[in-house]
Amino acid sequence: MTLTTAVSPALMRFAARPAAGPLPLLRGAACGMQARAFGIKTTLRVQERLAKMIKEDQEKGKDQDKDKDQDKDMQITGPEPRRDPILASMPSELRTPRFPEPMRGCTMDHKWHSADLEALEVGPTKHRVPDLISDRIALWAVKTARRPTDIFFRNKYLHRSVMLEVVAAVPGMVGGLIRHIKSLQGMRYDGGWIGHLLHEAENERMHLMTWMEVSKPVLWERALIATVQTGFFAVFSLLYMVSPRTAHRVVGYLEEEAVTSYTHFIGEIDAGRIENVKAPDIAIAYWNLAPDATLRDVVLAVRADEALHRDTNHHFSDRIRAGRESLFEDMDTVGDKPHIKY
């Protein structure tokens, strides 16, 4: 209700009163004009305020529509990606993946099936007869270390394989490291051993990664494995610095035991006491196995690698004894590419 409607009844009552002379009439007329003017001003102010509110609502609606359009654009185009500082500083050489190479290069020629793996010459009963006191000590040490393993794991060949590969992956890395340091300190060629030893260590590590996918060792088994590996690393490092010839002989006999263990592993699978499950993807990719490869195929491939490590380490020990450590003089020529000493 406006002020005009509120004042009008009062003016009517005032006008109904008897006139007392010209002065009251003039006063009444003046009051009526003032009231009418006030009502007009009030109406104008209300209209102005309403117009202002309508204008503000329209502008607010435009802003909301603009925000909606921006949201749609963001949904279509997406936010500008943040620049990753690590990725930006990554050298191009590191962007090319380097896949581990198997020990036997022939496995990369074609997909390997069970018949191909069975045909590999591994010599499961091959044994190097010790002829020196140090060789006998090396053989005795390996046989002694195997006894608690046989008692603890018995026929659990999957878990036995994990323990074996944790230990077997140490010698190649230790030997490669020590020979690398000696080559730097003496500022002389190594004779071509370092690459072979590091390749052996990588191959044994891939064995371990494969068995980890199959066996899934629990926490206490991991703790036991870590303890055994730490002790073996310390002892073998000291042995390699004192007598590398004996150290390689130890590895040769250790690999003989590995070949024997994997041969028994295959027998357990053939007897049905261990399920011949599908081979893990890491094994199929690493050894270039057939897509339908099984656990037995993996064991055959691992045994073939261990047989190669056995022969290599016995040969390394013999070369040190003969004083012919350099491999360059006995290497085969690959095409017309000259030998590069390293």
Side-chain angles (χ1 to χ4, degrees):
M1 182 176 63
T2 63
L3 184 60
T4 305
T5 57
V7 175
S8 296
L11 292 175
M12 292 176 66
R13 288 194 299 270
F14 180 79
R17 293 175 59 184
L23 185 58
L25 290 174
L26 291 174
R27 288 178 178 175
C31 289
M33 293 176 65
Q34 290 178 356
R36 184 177 296 176
F38 181 78
I40 293 172
K41 289 181 179 180
T42 303
T43 303
L44 291 174
R45 288 177 181 175
V46 171
Q47 291 177 351
E48 289 177 357
R49 182 170 293 180
L50 289 174
K52 186 177 181 180
M53 292 175 63
I54 292 172
K55 185 177 180 181
E56 290 177 353
D57 291 340
Q58 291 176 349
E59 292 178 353
K60 187 176 181 180
K62 291 180 180 179
D63 293 339
Q64 291 178 350
D65 293 339
K66 186 177 181 181
D67 293 339
K68 290 180 180 179
D69 294 339
Q70 290 179 352
D71 292 340
K72 290 181 180 179
D73 294 339
M74 291 287 287
Q75 292 176 359
I76 296 174
T77 60
E80 183 178 354
R82 294 180 58 186
R83 185 175 179 82
D84 188 347
I86 299 298
L87 185 60
S89 62
M90 184 177 181
S92 58
E93 290 77 6
L94 297 180
R95 296 178 184 271
T96 302
R98 180 195 174 277
F99 298 102
E101 297 180 359
M103 289 303 300
R104 298 175 182 266
C106 59
T107 59
M108 303 310 294
D109 296 338
H110 62 278
K111 293 291 183 182
W112 280 68
H113 298 267
S114 298
D116 301 320
L117 296 168
E118 291 278 8
L120 290 174
E121 181 62 36
V122 297
T125 60
K126 189 175 181 179
H127 172 62
R128 168 61 186 261
V129 178
D131 56 353
L132 297 175
I133 295 178
S134 59
D135 294 346
R136 293 188 177 92
I137 294 174
L139 179 59
W140 171 83
V142 172
K143 291 291 186 181
T144 302
R146 175 167 180 155
R147 289 172 186 168
T149 305
D150 292 338
I151 296 173
F152 187 81
F153 291 106
R154 297 183 182 274
N155 293 330
K156 297 179 179 179
Y157 283 96
L158 280 173
H159 297 81
R160 179 195 291 265
S161 299
V162 172
M163 177 67 76
L164 175 63
E165 299 302 342
V166 164
V167 172
V170 171
M173 185 59 66
V174 170
L177 173 62
I178 293 177
R179 294 188 70 91
H180 175 74
I181 297 300
K182 286 185 176 181
S183 177
L184 297 178
Q185 291 178 342
M187 291 178 283
R188 62 177 183 269
Y189 300 116
D190 168 67
W193 288 43
I194 296 175
H196 290 286
L197 293 174
L198 296 182
H199 191 191
E200 176 185 315
E202 182 183 61
N203 176 253
E204 298 286 11
R205 186 178 65 85
M206 292 303 295
H207 292 177
L208 176 63
M209 296 298 103
T210 299
W211 297 132
M212 292 287 287
E213 290 291 325
V214 179
S215 64
K216 307 293 184 183
V218 296
L219 182 60
W220 69 268
E221 291 175 326
R222 291 173 179 267
L224 175 63
I225 288 169
T227 303
V228 172
Q229 186 190 54
T230 302
F232 181 75
F233 175 80
V235 173
F236 188 82
S237 298
L238 180 61
L239 175 62
Y240 203 97
M241 288 186 287
V242 174
S243 177
R245 178 176 60 82
T246 305
H248 282 290
R249 190 68 73 195
V250 167
V251 179
Y253 287 130
L254 178 65
E255 299 296 355
E256 287 183 9
E257 297 298 328
V259 172
T260 301
S261 294
Y262 284 120
T263 301
H264 292 163
F265 196 165
I266 295 171
E268 292 292 306
I269 295 175
D270 293 341
R273 287 186 286 270
I274 296 179
E275 184 181 0
N276 191 22
V277 298
K278 185 181 184 302
D281 293 338
I282 185 175
I284 294 176
Y286 180 64
W287 283 286
N288 197 25
L289 301 178
D292 59 346
T294 62
L295 177 63
R296 189 177 189 276
D297 298 327
V298 176
V299 179
L300 287 171
V302 173
R303 186 181 67 167
D305 290 344
E306 304 295 5
L308 188 58
H309 298 325
R310 172 199 63 199
D311 298 340
T312 300
N313 280 276
H314 280 315
H315 179 72
F316 279 160
S317 182
D318 293 340
R319 291 192 78 96
I320 295 175
R321 180 182 178 184
R324 295 175 56 184
E325 291 192 39
S326 178
L327 300 176
F328 297 125
E329 57 191 54
D330 300 322
M331 285 183 176
D332 296 331
T333 302
V334 180
D336 57 352
K337 186 176 181 179
H339 286 313
I340 300 176
K341 293 184 178 181
Y342 52 90

